[in-house]
């Protein structure tokens, strides 16, 4: 028997959805290991968070009352203290920007193997994790030696835990070293004239467009369709379009009626921002591009051939 | 101050590829400098140009083939490079801790004030090496940095960490530190012809485990890849067949049905 510790995530007063998904993954692991499921919430309004995290299947919520916002030193210390206090030997952490700011350090500090960005797992004699490689073109199974580990789980892969549990809520305060990384504030980026989240139809352009000059082509298509232009990250990184046009994990989440992805591979961080679109169309030269896995209509072809023809259709 | 940049040679599959055993067939892979590391190299070189860094050292764990990638970093302005490789790494999939052990040994000799790496390697996508390294060597750290200003006198790096949903966290990180660099931090330069020529003369110091004072057991991996396969498509996408004109006209029909362009 061996317990599992899930560390929840919150930002600016809200628990993030992936926290509840991590609980589901953690419960599966705890069942397989015949152990209890502990959930930690670190900082902020821990009383309220603890109540929300008390979902079915949670045995204990540890409300660590240090600080307000994310601080990796506090998280690392909290996890260390809870591993010692609970005897848990498996840690589940969201595979988020903040998760990746402390999960590797936790694994390192405790000498636990680390597997990140899990999309599934099986647990028989030990843990076998399913994860992607090569830009989502393949999946792999990874065997982990031993039964201690840190696992980070991708958002949207497990159903959120529901219901109300009968967990005990344990208030905790941890000692932690003075932080050598101090958060001084937050900044919202990507504001401005257009909000791509309002558009009914998006023509979205990716690195397949190759050159800034070629953007005119997709602008013409957007005009012809009465659509709004959006983009994948590299287009914005290159400064070809402003940040408020970026779709994805670090840009905007959009749910238009129609999303037309042109020369976009469909990386997980991009898909996170558009998979909720009603109809997804993809134009890509690579038949194995992962964007086709979530598309409703696909054209395997060269955008420089297809897009001009499509503009003509609507001219 | 001295800056160490970790640079990985990453593999990208061709449009057509086959899986052989637990990896993609070598003949179906192209190699390149990891996109995120390109931004890390640029950040380091800019620190040198600003007179903040006196030396930029690139380090990689990779076979001889990876020297081509390392030369790219040298051509862009890194002063010299260290390449770690050993038969022990050929045996299987090196986990984060194994790589960190090798980097730790390099850090001990090089004694950098700042280590820059990428947020993630494009091929294996662990997103973990920099933060694990920081913990091992007792440096501070920040992950997913998309804005960087180094105040050498104060011993602080002022960074933005790019969180989800268009929010950036402003953080002051004490040096020495490891930072993982996000794309968009800067505009990576192309290597100039002069840079490429100079890179030929720059030193790439190849080291095996024993040269680092390590043994095979020190880099034993706790992970093993046991299978690789192409995922089953979750959608039943209609793939529109035909030449450009035919596909465009069928797509136009679909779009009109959805009320687009009406
Ligand atoms: C923490 C983090 C956050 C991120 N956030 C985001 C985000 O918010 N949004 C985002 O988009 N990305 C994000 N990324 C980056 C993401 O991982 C990918 O690098 C990015 O989405 C790739 O963009 P792309 O598809 O345009 O380029 P690529 O992956 O390079 O794909 C280009 C595609 O174009 C196709 N192509 C090439 N030529 C043609 C042609 N002539 N005709 C048709 N098709 C062609 C190719 O086959 C390929 O599939 C993030 C990454 C990290 C690590
Ligand atoms: N074999 C390697 N050689 C050099 N740098 C590496 C290697 N593996 C990982 N890194 C560095 O660590 C970063 C994150 O990689 P990963 O944690 O594997 O996703 C990369 O962007 C590199 O800077």
């Amino acid at each position: 028997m061996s317990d599992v510790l899930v560390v929840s995530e919150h930002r600016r007063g809200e628990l993030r959805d992936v926290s509840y998904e991590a609980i589901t993954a953690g419960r599966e692991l705890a069942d397989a290991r015949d152990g209890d499921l502990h959930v930690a919430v670190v900082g902020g309004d821990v009383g309220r968070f603890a109540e929300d995290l008390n979902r079915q299947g949670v045995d204990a919520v540890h409300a660590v009352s240090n600080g307000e916002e994310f601080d990796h030193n506090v998280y690392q210390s909290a996890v260390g203290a809870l591993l010692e206090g609970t005897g848990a030997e498996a840690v589940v952490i969201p595979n988020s920007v903040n998760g990746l700011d402390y999960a590797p350090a936790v694994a390192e500090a405790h000498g636990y193997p680390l597997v990140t960005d899990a999309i599934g797992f099986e647990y028989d004699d030990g843990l076998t994790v399913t994860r992607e490689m090569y830009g989502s073109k393949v999946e792999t199974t990874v065997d982990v030696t031993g039964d201690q580990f840190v696992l980070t789980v991708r958002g949207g892969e497990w159903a959120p835990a529901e219901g109300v549990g009968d967990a005990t809520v344990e208030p905790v305060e941890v000692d932690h070293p003075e932080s050598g990384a101090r958060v001084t504030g937050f900044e919202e980026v990507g504001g401005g004239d257009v909000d791509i989240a309002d558009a009914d139809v998006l023509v979205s352009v990716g690195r397949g467009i190759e050159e800034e000059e070629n953007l005119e082509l997709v602008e013409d298509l957007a005009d012809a369709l009465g659509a709004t232009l959006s983009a994948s990250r590299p287009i914005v990184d290159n400064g070809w379009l402003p940040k408020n046009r970026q779709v994805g994990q670090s840009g905007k989440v959009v749910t238009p009626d129609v999303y037309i992805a042109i020369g976009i591979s469909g990386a997980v961080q991009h898909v996170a921002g558009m998979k909720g679109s009603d109809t997804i169309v993809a134009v890509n030269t690579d038949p194995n591009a992962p964007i086709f896995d979530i598309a409703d209509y696909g054209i395997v072809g060269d955008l420089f051939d297809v897009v001009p023809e499509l503009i003509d259709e609507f001219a | 101050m001295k800056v160490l940049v970790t640079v990985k040679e990453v593999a990208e599959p061709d449009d057509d590829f086959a899986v052989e055993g637990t990896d993609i067939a070598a003949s179906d892979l192209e190699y390149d400098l990891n996109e995120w590391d390109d931004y890390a190299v640029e950040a380091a070189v800019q620190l040198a140009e600003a007179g903040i860094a006196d030396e930029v050292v690139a380090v990689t764990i990779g076979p001889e083939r990876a020297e081509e990638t390392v030369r790219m970093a040298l051509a862009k302005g890194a002063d010299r490079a260290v390449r770690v490789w050993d038969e022990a790494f050929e045996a299987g999939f090196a986990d984060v801790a194994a790589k960190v052990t090798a980097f730790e040994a390099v850090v001990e000799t090089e004694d950098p004030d700042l280590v820059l790496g990428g947020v993630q390697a494009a091929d294996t996508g662990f997103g973990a090496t920099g933060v694990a390294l920081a913990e091992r060597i007792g440096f501070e750290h920040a992950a997913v940095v998309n804005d960087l200003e180094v105040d050498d006198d104060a011993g602080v790096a002022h960074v933005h960490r790019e969180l989800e949903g268009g929010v950036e966290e402003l953080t002051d990180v004490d040096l020495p530190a490891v930072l993982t660099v996000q794309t968009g931090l800067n505009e990576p330069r192309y290597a100039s012809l002069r840079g490429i020529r100079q890179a030929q003369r720059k030193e790439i110091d190849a080291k095996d485990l024993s040269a680092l004072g390590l043994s095979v057991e020190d880099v034993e991996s706790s992970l093993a890849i046991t299978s690789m396969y192409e995922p089953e498509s979750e959608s039943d996408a209609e793939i529109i067949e035909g030449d450009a004109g035919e596909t465009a006209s069928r797509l136009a029909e679909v779009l009109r049905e959805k009320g687009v362009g009406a």
Side-chain angles (χ1 to χ4, degrees), chain A residues 11 72 97-98 101 108 116 134 139 141 143 145 180 182 184-185 187 189 233 237 249 288 296 298 313, chain B residues 15 23 123-124 126 136 141 143 161-162 164-166 168 170 172 174 183 222 224 226-227 229 238 240 256:
Chain A
R11 193 199 296 163
H72 60 236
V97 170
N98 281 342
D101 197 49
E108 182 56 43
T116 60
Y134 296 118
E139 283 179 17
T141 51
D143 277 5
T145 309
R182 295 164 299 276
T184 60
E187 209 171 277
V189 292
R233 178 172 188 119
D237 282 343
Q249 177 190 301
N288 290 313
D296 300 289
E313 291 281 340
Chain B
D15 285 1
D23 206 348
D123 49 4
T124 46
F126 259 69
R136 178 80 67 90
H141 74 259
R161 293 183 55 235
E162 190 188 47
E164 293 84 356
E168 296 182 2
L170 283 53
D172 291 342
D174 291 341
T183 60
S222 55
T226 46
S227 71
Y229 50 91
E238 174 185 333
I240 302 171
R256 285 206 180 86

Side-chain angles (χ1 to χ4, degrees), chain A residues 9 11-12 16 70 72-73 76 95-106 108-109 112-117 128 130-145 157 178-190 201 207 224-227 233-234 237-238 243 246 248-252 257-258 260 269 279 281 283 285-288 292-300 302 305-306 309-310 313-315, chain B residues 11-17 19 22-24 29 35-36 39 93 95-97 100 119-120 122-129 131-133 135-136 140-144 146 156 160-175 182-187 221-242 244-245 247-262:
Chain A
E9 176 162 329
R11 193 199 296 163
R12 301 164 103 189
R16 304 190 68 232
F70 177 75
H72 60 236
N73 275 298
Q76 284 164 229
N95 193 76
S96 58
V97 170
N98 281 342
L100 290 175
D101 197 49
Y102 75 97
V106 166
E108 182 56 43
Y112 286 11
L114 169 71
V115 184
T116 60
D117 206 16
T128 300
T130 305
R131 60 191 309 282
E132 295 178 338
M133 258 177 74
Y134 296 118
S136 303
K137 283 192 169 178
V138 296
E139 283 179 17
T140 58
T141 51
V142 181
D143 277 5
V144 181
T145 309
E157 297 292 329
E178 200 177 320
S179 203
R182 295 164 299 276
V183 178
T184 60
F186 291 93
E187 209 171 277
E188 307 268 353
V189 292
V201 184
R207 183 144 48 194
L225 298 179
R233 178 172 188 119
D237 282 343
N238 288 345
K243 182 83 186 170
Q246 184 180 315
Q249 177 190 301
S250 48
K252 283 250 160 64
D257 298 335
V258 180
I260 308 176
Q269 297 94 350
T279 299
V281 178
V283 180
T285 40
D286 177 3
N288 290 313
F292 289 121
D293 293 339
I294 57 154
D296 300 289
Y297 298 91
I299 295 177
V300 179
D302 191 323
D305 299 331
V306 175
E309 296 279 352
L310 195 54
E313 291 281 340
F314 286 89
Chain B
E12 193 186 334
D14 297 336
D15 285 1
D16 278 318
F17 66 85
V19 174
T22 58
D23 206 348
I24 290 177
L29 292 173
E35 187 179 354
W36 282 267
Y39 285 85
F93 181 77
D95 64 1
V96 173
V100 163
V119 166
Q120 64 172 21
D123 49 4
T124 46
F126 259 69
T129 305
V131 172
L133 176 62
E135 175 67 23
R136 178 80 67 90
E140 249 309 327
H141 74 259
V144 193
N146 74 339
V156 174
H160 289 201
R161 293 183 55 235
E162 190 188 47
L163 307 180
E164 293 84 356
V167 179
E168 296 182 2
E169 180 200 277
L170 283 53
T171 305
D172 291 342
V173 187
D174 291 341
L175 300 177
Q182 173 65 312
T183 60
L185 171 69
N186 48 43
E187 283 176 52
S221 179
S222 55
L223 306 181
I225 295 183
T226 46
S227 71
M228 179 179 288
Y229 50 91
E230 289 183 57
E232 271 174 47
S233 175
E234 280 167 29
S235 85
D236 23 37
E238 174 185 333
I239 298 295
I240 302 171
E241 309 279 351
T247 54
S249 108
R250 167 71 187 129
L251 181 56
E253 197 177 291
V254 169
L255 291 175
R256 285 206 180 86
E257 272 168 32
K258 311 260 171 213
V260 178

Side-chain angles (χ1 to χ4, degrees), chain A:
Chain A
M1 176 190 131
S2 164
D3 292 0
V4 174
L5 174 68
V6 168
V7 190
S8 66
E9 176 162 329
H10 60 87
R11 193 199 296 163
R12 301 164 103 189
E14 299 292 334
L15 279 167
R16 304 190 68 232
D17 292 346
V18 65
S19 299
Y20 302 113
E21 298 162 17
I23 289 176
T24 302
R27 185 66 252 172
E28 270 177 46
L29 273 177
D31 284 343
R33 294 161 69 94
D34 199 15
D36 282 348
L37 175 61
H38 301 264
V39 176
V41 55
V42 185
D45 193 354
V46 289
R48 173 169 56 95
F49 293 151
E51 228 169 275
D52 289 343
L53 291 167
N54 180 11
R55 302 260 160 133
Q56 248 159 40
V58 178
D59 296 299
V61 179
H62 304 268
V64 183
S65 58
N66 302 68
E68 280 301 315
E69 291 293 341
F70 177 75
D71 174 335
H72 60 236
N73 275 298
V74 176
Y75 271 65
Q76 284 164 229
S77 300
V79 174
L82 291 174
L83 288 179
E84 204 169 304
T86 63
E89 292 182 314
V91 188
V92 178
I93 292 174
N95 193 76
S96 58
V97 170
N98 281 342
L100 290 175
D101 197 49
Y102 75 97
V106 166
E108 182 56 43
H110 296 272
Y112 286 11
L114 169 71
V115 184
T116 60
D117 206 16
I119 59 170
F121 58 73
E122 277 182 46
Y123 199 97
D124 290 324
D125 295 337
L127 178 69
T128 300
V129 181
T130 305
R131 60 191 309 282
E132 295 178 338
M133 258 177 74
Y134 296 118
S136 303
K137 283 192 169 178
V138 296
E139 283 179 17
T140 58
T141 51
V142 181
D143 277 5
V144 181
T145 309
D147 35 49
Q148 307 174 312
F149 52 82
V150 174
L151 182 70
T152 72
V153 292
R154 179 180 289 183
E157 297 292 329
W158 279 267
E162 293 185 359
V164 179
D166 47 15
T168 55
V169 176
E170 327 244 349
V172 186
E173 214 183 312
V174 295
D175 291 331
H176 59 87
E178 200 177 320
S179 203
R182 295 164 299 276
V183 178
T184 60
F186 291 93
E187 209 171 277
E188 307 268 353
V189 292
D193 52 334
V194 263
D195 188 350
I196 54 173
D198 289 339
D200 295 327
V201 184
L202 284 172
V203 167
S204 206
V205 57
R207 183 144 48 194
I209 198 75
E210 286 170 12
E211 307 271 343
E212 185 170 14
E213 296 84 79
N214 299 339
L215 278 184
E216 215 176 307
L217 186 62
V218 283
E219 280 162 5
D220 288 349
L221 178 62
D223 283 345
L225 298 179
T228 303
L229 190 64
S230 59
S232 67
R233 178 172 188 119
I235 304 299
V236 174
D237 282 343
N238 288 345
W240 298 350
L241 284 175
K243 182 83 186 170
N244 61 10
R245 302 281 177 159
Q246 184 180 315
V247 172
Q249 177 190 301
S250 48
K252 283 250 160 64
V253 175
V254 298
T255 52
D257 298 335
V258 180
Y259 187 89
I260 308 176
I262 298 181
I264 292 177
S265 63
V268 53
Q269 297 94 350
H270 184 80
V271 169
M274 46 66 74
K275 62 177 177 224
S277 307
D278 272 351
T279 299
I280 297 170
V281 178
V283 180
N284 198 306
T285 40
D286 177 3
N288 290 313
I291 190 79
F292 289 121
D293 293 339
I294 57 154
D296 300 289
Y297 298 91
I299 295 177
V300 179
D302 191 323
L303 73 92
F304 296 106
D305 299 331
V306 175
V307 173
E309 296 279 352
L310 195 54
I311 294 170
D312 281 351
E313 291 281 340
F314 286 89

